[in-house]
Amino acid sequence: MRAAGLESAVANANGLRGNSLAYILPTAMHGSLKTTERATGTASFVIEPDGRMNGYPVVISNQATAGNLYFGNFADLLVGFFG
């Protein structure tokens, strides 16, 4: 799913609220997206000069699965442990 698709999916679940919206992506993907142009010859890259993507902050983590990126309101994230 593309970044805009992730944003749409979160919006459909009424999740585009709050000020903790961000992308989480692995280091290799971050490096690649910093040099990937939005359109050929534009010098406008997917990761913007201020470190944002589509206007949202980017968190770089080795805990993110290679090849995957995550988007959401992480202030509302709940993690449960069972065992």
Side-chain angles (χ1 to χ4, degrees):
M1 183 179 286
R2 300 186 129 182
L6 288 173
E7 293 171 21
S8 294
V10 171
N12 287 337
N14 297 318
L16 285 182
R17 299 179 187 174
N19 50 3
S20 294
L21 293 161
Y23 283 95
I24 298 176
L25 50 143
T27 55
M29 181 181 286
H30 181 262
S32 176
L33 292 177
K34 283 183 74 171
T35 58
T36 301
E37 286 185 292
R38 292 178 187 261
T40 304
T42 63
S44 174
F45 300 95
V46 176
I47 301 290
E48 299 157 5
D50 63 357
R52 294 175 168 264
M53 185 164 67
N54 286 346
Y56 294 104
V58 173
V59 176
I60 307 157
S61 174
N62 287 322
Q63 299 298 313
T65 308
N68 292 323
L69 65 128
Y70 308 92
F71 176 77
N73 182 357
F74 295 101
D76 294 337
L77 178 67
L78 298 174
V79 179
F81 291 96
F82 301 92

